[in-house]
Amino acid sequence: MAPPYKKEDYQIGIICALAIEAAAMGAMLDETHPKLPTDSADTNDYTFGRIGDLNLIIACLPAGSMGNGPAATVASNMCRSFSLKFGLMVGIGGGVWSRKTDIRLGDIAVSQPTGTHGGVVQWDYGKMGKGGVFDRTGSLNRPPPVLLHALQSLKTFSEGDYLNIRAALDLMAKNKTKMAKTYPHRGAENDQLFKASYDHSGDETCEGCDMEMLVRREVRENLQPEIHYGNIASGNEVMKHGLTRDQIAKTEEVICFEMEAAGLMNDFPCLVIRGICDYADSHKNDMWQRYAAATAAAFARVFLGFVKKEDMGVEIPVCLKSHRLLPFGRNNHFVGRQSQLQRLMEIFLIEYKGDNCQRAALDGLGGVGKTHIALEFAFKLQEYSLEHSVYWVHAHDATSFEKSYRDIGKILDIPGIDNDKADVKELVRQRLSKESIGKWLLIIDNADNPQLFQTHDDSSLFSCLPYSNLGGILFTTRNHEVATDHAEAEVISIGMMDDSESRELLRTTLQKKHILNDIESTSELLELLAHLPLAIKQAGAFLNKKNITISKYVDMYKNSNDTQIKLLAMDFEDKWRYKGMRNPVATTWLISFEQVKQQDDLAARYMAFMSCISENNIPLSILPPALEFDQLDAIGTLIGFGFLTEQTSEGMYNMHRLVHIATRNWLDIRNELPQVTTRAVEQVAAVFPWPEYENRDTWSVYLPHAECLIDAAEVFDTVESLRWDILDKLGRCFWLTRKDEKSIERNKKALEMKERVLGREDPSTLLTISNITTSLMNQGKYAKAETIYRETLALKEKVLGKEHPDTLVSMNNLGQTLNSQGKYAEAETIHRETLALHEKVLGKEHPDTLASMNNLGQTLNSQGKYAEAETIHRETFALKEKVLGKEHPSTLASMNNLGQTLNSQGKYAEAETIHRETLALHEKVLGKEHPSTLVIMNELGYTLNSQKKDDEAEIMHRETLALQEKVLGKDHPSTLASMHNLGQTLSS
């Protein structure tokens, strides 16, 4: 009967990764002891027992867990409950065979310091160096002296005598009779090593693999497992690639690969013992795992017989008790952000040299997940470094900061910390600044207010931050300037999630996962929410609560701006938020908005202005005027808060879509939206130029912003003359780009206001009517256009006079309408009169005069007066090329008309040359699908057909017809003309 034992009696801890390993180790015990209570925070399940005169505990990783992190957690829990002297990591691994090390399945690999390594090397930890070479960084500790002494004694003994591994295996079979059948040697014929370059083919076994690719090795005389000593490679991924295995093994002098030891060596002094179950290549399978687990456990039993109790009496610094003060538990559904976590590990662990207090900052938009990343890092850090304490400070304001410091003081048991008059911040600063306190990480969360953390103010919270070479500080902040002030170059900007991360986050949030099968709606939802983690979680909570589909949510969201605000303003339960703080997307940035307003008034005004225009492609030139320095400073503030991002093209910015919505909500709450909208209308009307071909690079940038602004509900309370000014310009933009329906829509809205305010006969009203009619002409609605033109012309002659330029424009347009309807004689009369008046009033080379010449030439051509038409078109083309330039759309129109006239006279070769040149210029200047380009394609096809180049003509007509149906519609006159031309070509 074993005497009653206390926790203090157990000073050796054995960790196994798999149940088969723990079972094998448990079967090696001489005696099993009753379980004892453990620390409340210790989640391990232990087997208590004795081997020889040494009491020990065995713990296994949780089911389904593997890798360095979970191993470190098990070790950390062990240290919470027991005062251990050392540990063993016992289990299976993949062997590395070489001519030097003839390792076989069932053999045993033991971690012994070799070369520059302490016995274990983390093969997948480091960073990419120059030329794509992976540089393994950092180092892992050696096993403690007590284990290295015992190992040396064992090796000395084995030089003259056999280690009694067989006896240990027999003991396992005796203690656990079932294991005699389930843990046997698997036979030398099943020990197959393939060449490193040959990958596995077939199913789980190697029956389908090419046996010619086996490495030829000498047959062993007996089945006794051999022991190999050297470096063991540990990583978070299973090694199963022969060439990579050999490359790492050669570089790092490795004899075995496994997945847990690197999580232990620095904070849990131990020896690693691995039974070889495969060769760390693609041919690995489960056949040898149980036997390998048995041989590793057998060696561990034998090895403990060489441990001297007097060596164990030496105090060894095992597993310093660390603290963990965090406001939230771990998020077991944490998604993505691996590169950011890796960078934090590099800053605080890999690159840490113990000669400075490391600092880093996570900055980014509110709701992007900075707090979640910091929290996940806190847990990961303690997995990899058991001696690290982690303390959390909520830095929302001075009060929450001091409360967090008081909590730290209590956990550190600082004398006087509960005294109401105590300088809590100073007491904690002093204690953490002492290196005797050990390693720590201080997380300063929500350090958003720059006034609280001014580096030059001794009274600010900055002066309360501790400094220790064993410590590190991680800030999370929405303010890039705060991040830069405190972390300098080590600022990690957190952006939106990528599509796969967003989908996974939504999946973990939803109760009914099957609704994600609606892939199209899911993609649209994530795009609408701009892949913002907080918005995705909020949407998921709403979907769960209301039991609706994703497509229904998307429809609701797109219904109106008010609906968007309601959805984004709905609070939802989140166990990872501070008490008393609301978390809806629509309100999460309100504090930041107020901080911007206090910090930089111009930045606040810019943010308000941008909320009235489109959120994308915002040029600096559209913003209200300010000194260049002040303007850039204001933009820098908004970028610093994450509200804006700068595009690669200089001077162009994007506002986050949800910030755009939230800013309007903020302005609405403050009753400022109407006046902000009025100022925005004034600004856009002032900077938006009258659209012409020559300034298209400017107005094309302003166009989406003017559209967004003019469609807002609040714009109806602004000055009407400014509104119709913008509408006129929009109508002109769409007319120039031949988007006639949109041009008519905008012009009609302007006309409604002008007729109501100015009257029907006002010149500005008549101009808008004329613009609408021009678009009707482009649509082929000639009769309707003629009626309006005649009415407009009569009004203009009455109001402006016969010779006014605007009157002449209407005369010109009426002539074109008549010509399009085949009323050539009347059209010719009008065009000749218009041309004479244009030359008199504006001069021979004025663009409007040239337009009249062009129209007269077209009418003459339509009547078969080809010679005169050719003369006029050649003169018009020459003058336009001189006045407007070769690539101006009006010049190109004259080139085309000249080609038509030549074609009409049978001058096909010259017509083809001109049409080809015109088409190339049209595609360059206006684009392939512009209606004018399609006209040229049609003309070129006709010219080719006239020359009996039928195949080429057919190709051209088919392409033209397809594009016209796409751009203009099947019933447009130009489309019908193309169908006719194609028919003629086919019939010929």
Side-chain angles (χ1 to χ4, degrees):
M1 183 74 176
Y5 290 100
K6 304 188 295 286
K7 288 199 296 183
E8 293 76 13
D9 296 322
Y10 298 92
Q11 298 182 329
I12 301 172
I14 297 178
I15 296 177
C16 300
L18 302 174
I20 59 172
E21 300 167 348
M25 194 67 238
M28 295 296 167
L29 296 175
D30 293 322
E31 183 178 76
T32 302
H33 298 164
K35 290 182 180 292
L36 294 175
T38 56
D39 188 274
S40 59
D42 184 355
T43 57
N44 293 345
D45 181 57
Y46 294 102
T47 298
F48 295 78
R50 174 182 62 80
I51 291 179
D53 58 356
L54 299 177
N55 294 326
L56 52 87
I57 52 174
I58 304 169
C60 187
L61 270 62
S65 298
M66 60 180 62
N68 298 330
T73 300
V74 170
S76 177
N77 285 331
M78 263 191 182
C79 294
R80 294 178 191 275
S81 299
F82 301 95
S83 298
L84 302 177
K85 298 297 183 181
F86 64 81
L88 299 178
M89 182 77 209
V90 181
I92 60 177
V96 182
W97 180 88
S98 66
R99 300 293 178 188
K100 177 182 177 182
T101 306
D102 182 23
I103 202 163
R104 305 291 176 97
L105 300 186
D107 283 358
I108 300 149
V110 182
S111 63
Q112 173 182 287
T114 304
T116 60
H117 299 298
V120 175
V121 54
Q122 187 162 2
W123 68 267
D124 60 352
Y125 209 64
K127 55 187 178 181
M128 198 62 68
K130 292 182 178 179
V133 178
F134 187 73
D135 181 21
R136 269 169 282 281
T137 54
S139 60
L140 298 172
N141 290 338
R142 297 155 59 93
V146 59
L147 296 180
L148 292 179
H149 289 318
L151 189 61
Q152 189 73 342
S153 297
L154 179 148
K155 292 176 70 177
T156 301
F157 174 85
S158 66
E159 285 295 312
D161 297 279
Y162 290 106
L163 294 175
N164 213 347
I165 302 295
R166 184 71 262 165
L169 292 172
D170 292 342
L171 176 65
M172 177 190 74
K174 177 183 176 184
N175 288 341
K176 305 289 182 180
T177 55
K178 178 183 176 182
M179 296 178 77
K181 297 180 180 180
T182 55
Y183 282 66
H185 189 279
R186 304 299 298 181
E189 69 278 8
N190 292 315
D191 182 354
Q192 297 175 331
L193 170 64
F194 289 89
K195 294 178 181 179
S197 59
Y198 178 65
D199 289 332
H200 177 73
S201 60
D203 55 17
E204 294 181 0
T205 70
C206 285
E207 290 181 3
C209 292
D210 184 357
M211 295 299 138
E212 293 299 318
M213 301 305 292
L214 287 171
V215 176
R216 306 301 173 191
R217 298 177 293 175
E218 292 183 8
V219 178
R220 280 189 179 172
E221 294 181 359
N222 60 62
L223 301 182
Q224 177 78 1
E226 294 188 5
I227 320 299
H228 308 273
Y229 306 93
N231 290 325
I232 290 178
S234 182
N236 275 310
E237 294 183 17
V238 177
M239 173 57 69
K240 46 185 178 182
H241 187 253
L243 292 175
T244 305
R245 172 202 66 199
D246 287 354
Q247 180 186 9
I248 295 172
K250 182 178 180 181
T251 304
E252 310 296 343
E253 299 181 82
V254 164
I255 62 171
C256 174
F257 282 84
E258 54 93 81
M259 292 183 62
E260 287 78 31
L264 305 179
M265 298 308 298
N266 281 347
D267 301 308
F268 186 78
C270 66
L271 190 73
V272 182
I273 301 168
R274 293 295 185 187
I276 304 304
C277 66
D278 57 57
Y279 290 111
D281 58 13
S282 61
H283 302 275
K284 60 169 63 249
N285 58 62
D286 298 345
M287 178 184 289
W288 285 85
Q289 286 189 356
R290 282 181 168 78
Y291 179 71
T295 60
F299 179 86
R301 173 182 170 83
V302 171
F303 171 77
L304 288 173
F306 290 87
V307 174
K308 298 178 181 178
K309 274 203 165 186
E310 55 269 29
D311 288 343
M312 288 179 59
V314 178
E315 287 298 324
I316 301 173
V318 178
C319 301
L320 292 175
K321 298 290 184 184
S322 61
H323 298 292
R324 177 188 291 168
L325 182 61
L326 299 174
F328 315 112
R330 191 168 194 172
N331 180 1
N332 293 322
H333 298 296
F334 182 84
V335 172
R337 308 304 198 185
Q338 295 307 305
S339 63
Q340 291 88 346
L341 290 170
Q342 171 69 15
R343 181 61 193 137
L344 288 173
M345 294 296 283
E346 291 172 357
I347 293 170
F348 289 102
L349 277 182
I350 298 177
E351 297 173 0
Y352 172 68
K353 296 182 172 60
D355 57 358
N356 193 14
C357 185
Q358 298 287 86
R359 287 191 181 188
L362 303 175
D363 80 333
L365 190 65
V368 83
K370 303 179 295 296
T371 297
H372 282 267
I373 295 171
L375 184 67
E376 177 65 13
F377 174 63
F379 284 101
K380 276 190 172 294
L381 179 67
Q382 288 197 311
E383 285 178 351
Y384 279 92
S385 179
L386 303 180
E387 57 189 313
H388 257 97
S389 292
V390 178
Y391 307 104
W392 191 281
V393 176
H394 181 28
H396 174 67
D397 53 33
T399 302
S400 61
F401 188 97
E402 180 158 342
K403 180 183 182 303
S404 297
Y405 258 47
R406 190 180 294 276
D407 292 340
I408 295 172
K410 289 179 181 179
I411 203 171
L412 292 175
D413 200 21
I414 299 176
I417 197 69
D418 288 323
N419 191 323
D420 291 339
K421 296 182 180 180
D423 187 344
V424 172
K425 296 189 289 293
E426 180 59 20
L427 288 174
V428 173
R429 186 196 69 78
Q430 290 181 6
R431 175 60 67 91
L432 289 179
S433 296
K434 294 180 179 180
E435 294 194 1
S436 60
I437 205 72
K439 296 179 180 179
W440 51 262
L441 174 71
L442 187 66
I443 297 175
I444 311 292
D445 189 35
N446 290 340
D448 303 325
N449 191 338
Q451 295 179 345
L452 291 178
F453 289 92
Q454 292 178 356
T455 56
H456 57 274
D457 187 352
D458 291 340
S459 64
S460 77
L461 296 180
F462 174 77
S463 62
C464 305
L465 300 178
Y467 183 93
S468 167
N469 287 341
L470 297 179
I473 303 176
L474 173 62
F475 298 86
T476 77
T477 177
R478 303 178 182 189
N479 192 317
H480 184 70
E481 292 182 6
V482 171
T484 303
D485 283 344
H486 298 296
E488 297 179 347
E490 300 298 354
V491 176
I492 303 172
S493 294
I494 309 300
M496 300 303 109
M497 285 184 155
D498 62 30
D499 185 70
S500 61
E501 290 175 334
S502 298
R503 287 177 186 275
E504 179 60 20
L505 178 61
L506 182 59
R507 190 193 68 79
T508 62
T509 305
L510 292 175
Q511 295 170 356
K512 296 181 177 179
K513 315 294 186 188
H514 69 271
I515 66 175
L516 289 169
N517 293 336
D518 185 350
I519 296 173
E520 184 177 345
S521 295
T522 302
S523 297
E524 187 173 9
L525 172 64
L526 296 175
E527 191 65 29
L528 288 170
L529 299 179
H531 299 276
L532 182 75
L534 179 61
I536 294 170
K537 292 179 67 176
Q538 183 182 32
F542 186 88
L543 290 166
N544 290 337
K545 188 176 292 186
K546 302 300 181 182
N547 196 27
I548 62 173
T549 63
I550 293 176
S551 61
K552 178 64 176 174
Y553 184 96
V554 169
D555 289 341
M556 292 170 59
Y557 187 94
K558 292 164 62 177
N559 184 49
S560 68
N561 287 340
D562 288 341
T563 306
Q564 289 179 12
I565 288 297
K566 287 178 182 178
L567 288 171
L568 296 175
M570 294 190 71
D571 207 355
F572 65 98
E573 188 58 38
D574 185 358
K575 57 186 176 182
W576 288 283
R577 66 166 167 173
Y578 295 104
K579 290 182 179 179
M581 294 190 71
R582 298 185 66 209
N583 62 350
V585 172
T587 58
T588 191
W589 298 311
L590 294 183
I591 295 173
S592 296
F593 293 163
E594 295 295 342
Q595 288 176 347
V596 169
K597 191 169 182 63
Q598 294 173 12
Q599 180 180 332
D600 190 333
D601 182 64
L602 182 60
R605 285 192 282 123
Y606 278 177
M607 186 170 65
F609 173 79
M610 291 176 187
S611 74
C612 296
I613 61 177
S614 174
E615 67 266 24
N616 294 320
N617 303 312
I618 302 171
L620 276 176
S621 57
I622 202 173
L623 299 179
L627 293 175
E628 183 180 14
F629 176 84
D630 294 338
Q631 190 178 60
L632 293 177
D633 188 51
I635 292 295
T637 297
L638 296 178
I639 291 175
F641 274 90
F643 297 152
L644 289 187
T645 55
E646 185 172 10
Q647 291 189 3
T648 51
S649 54
E650 189 175 347
M652 298 286 280
Y653 301 88
N654 292 337
M655 182 179 239
H656 191 282
R657 180 185 298 112
L658 300 186
V659 172
H660 190 266
I661 297 170
T663 304
R664 294 182 64 80
N665 183 48
W666 175 60
L667 293 170
D668 195 32
I669 292 170
R670 296 169 61 92
N671 295 317
E672 295 179 3
L673 190 54
Q675 64 190 70
V676 167
T677 304
T678 298
R679 289 198 294 267
V681 169
E682 293 171 351
Q683 173 64 16
V684 171
V687 299
F688 198 168
W690 181 255
E692 297 288 0
Y693 168 77
E694 291 80 7
N695 63 355
R696 66 191 183 281
D697 289 342
T698 301
W699 59 254
S700 61
V701 173
Y702 292 160
L703 175 61
H705 302 295
E707 271 213 284
C708 179
L709 174 63
I710 211 69
D711 286 335
E714 296 77 17
V715 81
F716 294 105
D717 295 326
T718 61
V719 178
E720 288 181 308
S721 61
L722 296 175
R723 287 161 55 198
W724 74 52
D725 175 78
I726 294 174
L727 286 166
D728 277 341
K729 292 170 180 175
L730 289 172
R732 173 73 173 174
C733 290
F734 292 127
W735 180 81
L736 286 170
T737 54
R738 293 297 292 271
K739 296 177 181 176
D740 296 303
E741 200 60 48
K742 296 190 74 172
S743 179
I744 292 171
E745 176 194 345
R746 293 306 186 185
N747 279 316
K748 279 187 174 180
K749 288 184 178 181
L751 180 60
E752 288 172 8
M753 284 187 283
K754 289 182 178 183
E755 286 184 329
R756 186 176 64 253
V757 177
L758 303 175
R760 181 77 172 178
E761 295 183 358
D762 188 90
S764 181
T765 307
L766 296 175
L767 176 62
T768 302
I769 294 173
S770 179
N771 292 339
I772 292 172
T773 315
T774 305
S775 293
L776 291 172
M777 277 280 292
N778 289 339
Q779 292 180 313
K781 299 174 181 178
Y782 304 125
K784 186 175 182 180
E786 180 186 345
T787 301
I788 297 174
Y789 274 140
R790 288 191 185 278
E791 179 189 0
T792 307
L793 178 58
L795 287 170
K796 284 187 177 180
E797 287 181 346
K798 173 184 174 184
V799 175
L800 302 174
K802 182 78 171 180
E803 296 184 356
H804 192 281
D806 284 353
T807 307
L808 300 181
V809 169
S810 287
M811 289 178 67
N812 194 43
N813 291 338
L814 176 58
Q816 282 184 290
T817 306
L818 294 168
N819 190 69
S820 299
Q821 297 176 84
K823 302 176 181 180
Y824 303 127
E826 187 180 0
E828 181 182 345
T829 301
I830 289 176
H831 281 314
R832 288 191 184 278
E833 182 182 3
T834 307
L835 177 57
L837 288 170
H838 266 112
E839 289 180 345
K840 174 185 174 184
V841 175
L842 301 175
K844 182 79 171 179
E845 295 185 355
H846 192 278
D848 287 354
T849 307
L850 301 180
S852 283
M853 291 176 67
N854 186 63
N855 293 337
L856 176 57
Q858 282 183 292
T859 301
L860 292 170
N861 191 70
S862 299
Q863 298 175 80
K865 301 176 182 180
Y866 303 128
E868 186 181 0
E870 180 182 344
T871 301
I872 289 178
H873 282 314
R874 287 194 185 277
E875 182 182 4
T876 307
F877 174 51
L879 286 170
K880 283 187 177 181
E881 193 170 10
K882 172 187 173 184
V883 175
L884 302 175
K886 181 86 169 184
E887 296 183 357
H888 193 282
S890 184
T891 308
L892 300 181
S894 285
M895 286 179 70
N896 180 52
N897 293 337
L898 175 58
Q900 282 181 302
T901 302
L902 293 169
N903 200 54
S904 298
Q905 298 175 80
K907 301 177 181 180
Y908 302 126
E910 185 180 1
E912 180 183 345
T913 301
I914 289 177
H915 282 317
R916 288 193 183 279
E917 182 181 4
T918 310
L919 178 58
L921 288 170
H922 265 89
E923 289 180 346
K924 173 186 175 185
V925 176
L926 300 176
K928 181 80 172 180
E929 296 184 358
H930 192 279
S932 295
T933 307
L934 302 181
V935 170
I936 308 301
M937 291 175 68
N938 199 40
E939 292 294 339
L940 177 57
Y942 181 79
T943 303
L944 292 168
N945 188 60
S946 298
Q947 299 176 81
K948 306 301 181 184
K949 298 179 180 180
D950 298 329
D951 292 341
E952 193 176 354
E954 180 183 345
I955 293 171
M956 183 62 66
H957 282 311
R958 287 191 183 278
E959 183 180 4
T960 307
L961 179 59
L963 288 170
Q964 284 184 323
E965 288 180 346
K966 173 184 175 184
V967 176
L968 303 175
K970 288 189 175 182
D971 296 329
H972 192 279
S974 295
T975 308
L976 298 176
S978 283
M979 292 177 67
H980 175 73
N981 292 338
L982 176 59
Q984 281 190 315
T985 300
L986 293 173
S987 64
S988 64

